[in-house]
Amino acid sequence: MTNDVAIIGGGIVGLATAHALIEQQPDRRITVLDKERHWGAHQTGHNSGVIHSGLYYPPGSAKARFARAGGEAMYRFCTDHGIPVRRTGKVVVATSIDQLPRLAELQRRGTANGVQVSELDQIGLREREPHVRGVRALLVPDAGITDFAAVSERLAELLAERGVDLRPATELLGVRRDGSDLVLLTDRGEVRTRRAVNCAGLHSDAVAELAGTTPPARVLPFRGEYYETTSFSRDLVNALVYPVPDPAFPFLGVHLTRMIDGSLHVGPNAVPALSREGYRWGSISPSHLQRLATDPGLRVLAKKYWRTGATEIARSALKPLFLRAARTLLPDLRGHHLLRAEAGVRAQAVTPDGTLVDDFLVVEDENWVHVLNAPSPAATASLLIGKDIAARLRSRD
Ligand SMILES: Cc1cc2nc3c(=O)[nH]c(=O)nc-3n(C[C@H](O)[C@H](O)[C@H](O)COP(=O)(O)OP(=O)(O)OC[C@H]3O[C@@H](n4cnc5c(N)ncnc54)[C@H](O)[C@@H]3O)c2cc1C
């Protein structure tokens, strides 16, 4: 049997794409395959769980367009399906006077993106977050928290109910053409399909290559490490507390996140991972190391960011340095409050000239849609990204 669409990757973006496709056309034959035994095993199951509001992104970017509306769609989905979700609001905190111009720029961006955002003085900040220190802050009431792994599990259940062929523990290993069809070669046999969507996250560039496409950017995995606080110290923070981000870097900085289960997470930092799924320093892939050493774009990147990179690596290795960074926001935090928690690895695309791709990146050809950069806020925006991919496929029918 030939499928209409096969989706490689059962993270939140792949599952949301299948969901949008089956909603659009219920009789479509769709397969979703993932190399892992359960859905959302990589980025989707290892993140902060924050529903972003669209504050940070350049007006007009896909991130800006999809984050705000995608966040609202995510709140609705969670509410409709009984998935725990809370619109907690968040504060972005300037800890020194020299950060105020960047805070003001964030407020301008947020307003341009249609995000509700207001200023808090020190008293206002203390009322919301009594233990957080800052000279001024922005309050974004529409940010919130959920569990994206639970969202993915629910999406998979809905897909199964609608007759979608779900194949966990099935890895794509190669692709062959047969007339106008694609034959996907997996470790569990062949899957025949007219179209395919690459939502393979940390492996999306490798999957594009299997499909015969030269990706315009390669994935550079950045590990994000977290500490969890002891249960006695979790009440130091009420909701979500972010620093003012460094505009030269696509990550948001170590933040304080009251997760949906009430735990308080501190992190994530951003250190280069030594393999695509390098959840620990000890997880090393020789082929990935060789790529790091020889890829010209990565060399440019290393030159540009060596100072930030060195600081992040030092903070990763030495807990007191991580603690010191977190204490600029939360002075009452102590070393004995912090316990190492599970890390996540971000799939960050880098172009051959060493530019970190800031926006979502999607590339299409006759048979394929390749999602080559879907970093944060892609979990927030996943339901809209899925609809966008479904619309792209529809326009080719
Ligand atoms: C530390 C961290 C914090 C984050 N915080 C947030 C946040 O608070 N809010 C937010 O909105 N976003 C956040 N993000 C980003 C968000 O998690 C990702 O944007 C989103 O999960 C991407 O989903 P995905 O489906 O594209 O990728 P993934 O979830 O990584 O899914 C890709 C899937 O493809 C499968 N796959 C790969 N290769 C193959 C193959 N050859 N054959 C079969 N299957 C394959 C993998 O097994 C995997 O399940 C964070 C990310 C990280 C890492």
Side-chain angles (χ1 to χ4, degrees):
M1 190 190 68
T2 302
N3 285 279
D4 294 308
V5 185
I7 295 169
I8 323 303
I12 200 165
V13 174
L15 295 167
T17 300
H19 186 251
L21 284 166
I22 204 78
E23 291 267 294
Q24 191 186 61
Q25 210 177 313
D27 59 351
R28 247 187 188 136
R29 286 184 305 268
I30 301 171
T31 293
V32 183
L33 51 101
D34 197 291
K35 65 189 179 64
E36 306 296 346
R37 282 207 301 275
H38 65 274
W39 307 106
H42 288 288
Q43 296 175 92
T44 298
H46 296 87
N47 58 45
S48 302
V50 173
I51 299 183
H52 287 294
S53 51
L55 176 72
Y56 300 102
Y57 319 114
S61 63
K63 280 186 175 179
R65 276 189 292 124
F66 289 157
R68 210 174 92 75
E72 291 307 317
M74 187 57 68
Y75 281 118
R76 271 196 305 279
F77 183 89
C78 292
T79 307
D80 291 350
H81 294 280
I83 297 164
V85 65
R86 270 202 310 277
R87 202 183 285 259
T88 55
K90 79 169 182 184
V91 287
V92 182
V93 180
T95 51
S96 60
I97 302 283
D98 59 303
Q99 292 176 353
L100 292 181
R102 278 193 274 143
L103 197 72
E105 173 54 25
L106 267 190
Q107 186 169 14
R108 272 193 294 277
R109 269 195 183 186
T111 306
N113 290 338
V115 178
Q116 205 188 324
V117 47
S118 57
E119 257 185 66
L120 291 180
D121 58 15
Q122 281 176 321
I123 296 168
L125 175 62
R126 206 168 304 132
E127 275 166 11
R128 279 195 69 90
E129 295 287 355
H131 297 276
V132 170
R133 191 186 67 90
V135 292
R136 201 170 301 164
L138 296 180
L139 170 65
V140 185
D142 284 328
I145 190 89
T146 187
D147 174 351
F148 292 120
V151 171
S152 300
E153 275 161 32
R154 184 64 190 134
L155 282 169
E157 282 168 13
L158 292 172
L159 294 174
E161 284 165 16
R162 305 287 288 269
V164 171
D165 173 28
L166 295 177
R167 300 192 188 194
T170 305
E171 181 169 1
L172 181 79
L173 300 173
V175 181
R176 154 168 86 70
R177 290 294 294 252
D178 185 6
S180 59
D181 287 351
L182 296 170
V183 181
L184 307 181
L185 312 171
T186 80
D187 55 353
R188 296 203 168 194
E190 295 184 352
V191 177
R192 191 173 269 275
T193 188
R194 288 195 306 121
R195 303 265 167 70
V197 185
N198 166 7
C199 298
L202 289 156
H203 300 266
S204 53
D205 56 342
V207 166
E209 280 178 344
L210 292 180
T213 296
T214 305
R218 305 296 310 254
V219 168
L220 185 61
F222 277 94
R223 187 171 55 253
E225 297 162 331
Y226 293 91
Y227 283 91
E228 186 177 346
T229 68
T230 55
S231 51
F232 301 110
S233 40
R234 54 172 58 167
D235 290 336
L236 287 174
V237 170
N238 290 324
L240 309 172
V241 179
Y242 282 71
V244 178
D246 176 349
F249 215 48
F251 309 122
L252 300 181
V254 167
H255 43 267
L256 312 166
T257 307
R258 207 59 200 264
M259 307 291 272
I260 197 69
D261 63 1
S263 63
L264 174 61
H265 276 62
V266 185
N269 60 2
V271 291
L274 301 181
S275 65
R276 285 183 190 259
E277 293 170 12
Y279 289 95
R280 288 169 289 107
W281 278 116
S283 168
I284 298 170
S285 144
S287 60
H288 182 66
L289 284 189
Q290 191 184 1
R291 208 189 112 212
L292 286 181
T294 54
D295 187 305
L298 299 186
R299 275 215 297 275
V300 176
L301 196 70
K303 240 189 218 161
K304 203 151 102 191
Y305 291 111
W306 72 267
R307 201 185 291 273
T308 317
T311 311
E312 289 285 291
I313 290 168
R315 272 194 211 146
S316 160
L318 303 168
K319 183 173 164 184
L321 293 186
F322 194 100
L323 177 67
R324 196 198 293 165
R327 285 186 64 185
T328 53
L329 280 172
L330 194 61
D332 294 344
L333 198 65
R334 297 285 176 269
H336 66 269
H337 292 152
L338 293 178
L339 312 165
R340 276 257 184 214
E342 250 181 68
V345 184
R346 307 171 181 88
Q348 172 61 51
V350 184
T351 58
D353 67 359
T355 304
L356 293 169
V357 179
D358 192 33
D359 210 356
F360 299 146
L361 175 63
V362 178
V363 169
E364 295 175 64
D365 65 20
E366 194 191 336
N367 296 89
W368 282 87
V369 177
H370 297 284
V371 179
L372 296 176
N373 197 48
S376 183
T380 299
S382 53
L383 297 168
L384 284 206
I385 296 175
K387 280 194 177 155
D388 177 69
I389 295 170
R392 288 171 190 252
L393 289 168
R394 187 74 191 247
S395 71
R396 288 168 171 270
D397 276 347

